[in-house]
Amino acid sequence: MKRLLEGFADRAAEALPDADIEADVSRGRRALRRIKRRRRVTGVLCVAAVSALALAIGNQVKWWGNTSEVAGGTSEPEKTAATPATAPAAKPSSGETMSMFGASVVELVANNQPWRTIDCTLTPKGWSAETPIAANRVVLSQPTMRTADAAAKVVLQAAPDARSLSAVRVTDGSGKTFHIGTLDGRLTGQVKLSDQWLLVELPTGTVEWPDDVLRRFMDSCTVR
């Protein structure tokens, strides 16, 4: 641009006064400087526009990659369903506990039925002595039991000698020694009362008679 102006000025120099030529050159230089300034400003604006576009694209990618954010507002923490509080285990009623297998244990209640030579002040609730009652033997059953189902019944027997039990557990209490084990596959307890031994055989496979309940039952008995 400068060379064009200077060339034009040289060609017109013969027809114009010196003052006009110098003025034209000055105006041309000022125009050239304005053009350069515009180019610099335009270049800065282009760089700024490209940077802004790259930043916007980057934010958009970040937005799509973050699923926890919500468009148009701040993200809210994910809500999870409240875990219901575990209800406290139901407490067994008085005189009744739960066995380790989850079954209700036998509840002992007052016994108002005479049993001849074997007598107990406690009896399992819902059980009664079968009649006729033998002199040294009492058989307890429930009303729904079949008469021939002997393995499902409770048998009390008085004998002068103790029986040999398997896997026996010995516990002392109330001045007595209680032996609890198995006899012919049935949970059995025995205790010496005066000069007789009381043997208590429980139903086969029972889990309703924990040791403490069996000891309480035997402790309530006497042999005459």
Side-chain angles (χ1 to χ4, degrees):
M1 179 64 72
K2 181 178 180 181
R3 288 195 299 270
L4 291 175
L5 291 174
E6 288 176 349
F8 177 78
D10 291 338
R11 287 194 299 271
E14 296 179 355
L16 294 175
D18 294 339
D20 292 337
I21 294 174
E22 187 66 28
D24 289 339
V25 172
S26 298
R27 284 195 297 273
R29 288 176 178 173
R30 287 195 297 271
L32 181 61
R33 286 196 293 270
R34 286 196 297 271
I35 292 172
K36 289 183 178 179
R37 284 197 298 270
R38 284 198 296 269
R39 287 180 178 177
R40 285 196 295 269
V41 172
T42 302
V44 172
L45 291 177
C46 290
V47 172
V50 172
S51 300
L53 179 61
L55 181 60
I57 293 174
N59 289 337
Q60 186 72 9
V61 172
K62 181 179 178 182
W63 183 86
W64 283 109
N66 187 0
T67 56
S68 63
E69 295 181 356
V70 179
T74 58
S75 61
E76 296 181 358
E78 182 180 358
K79 297 180 181 180
T80 56
T83 303
T86 302
K91 295 183 179 180
S93 59
S94 177
E96 182 180 355
T97 58
M98 300 297 291
S99 73
M100 62 182 294
F101 296 96
S104 298
V105 303
V106 169
E107 181 181 357
L108 299 178
V109 297
N111 180 27
N112 299 317
Q113 182 182 11
W115 291 349
R116 299 187 64 178
T117 57
I118 299 175
D119 193 18
C120 301
T121 60
L122 296 176
T123 187
K125 184 177 181 179
W127 297 64
S128 58
E130 296 182 350
T131 56
I133 300 176
N136 297 321
R137 182 183 175 90
V138 178
V139 178
L140 303 180
S141 63
Q142 293 177 302
T144 57
M145 289 182 178
R146 298 189 302 270
T147 303
D149 195 4
K153 301 176 182 181
V154 177
V155 179
L156 294 83
Q157 187 171 351
D161 301 316
R163 301 288 298 273
S164 178
L165 305 180
S166 301
V168 66
R169 302 177 291 279
V170 180
T171 305
D172 294 326
S174 303
K176 305 169 186 176
T177 300
F178 301 92
H179 302 256
I180 299 176
T182 57
L183 179 65
D184 298 330
R186 299 176 66 170
L187 182 63
T188 303
Q190 62 182 356
V191 59
K192 189 172 184 179
L193 303 174
S194 64
D195 59 346
Q196 296 284 309
W197 283 87
L198 174 66
L199 185 75
V200 180
E201 297 179 77
L202 300 178
T204 302
T206 184
V207 295
E208 294 85 8
W209 286 82
D211 289 2
D212 60 330
V213 174
L214 179 54
R215 284 195 301 268
R216 285 179 54 219
F217 179 55
M218 291 191 293
D219 191 34
S220 74
C221 298
T222 56
V223 177
R224 295 192 296 271

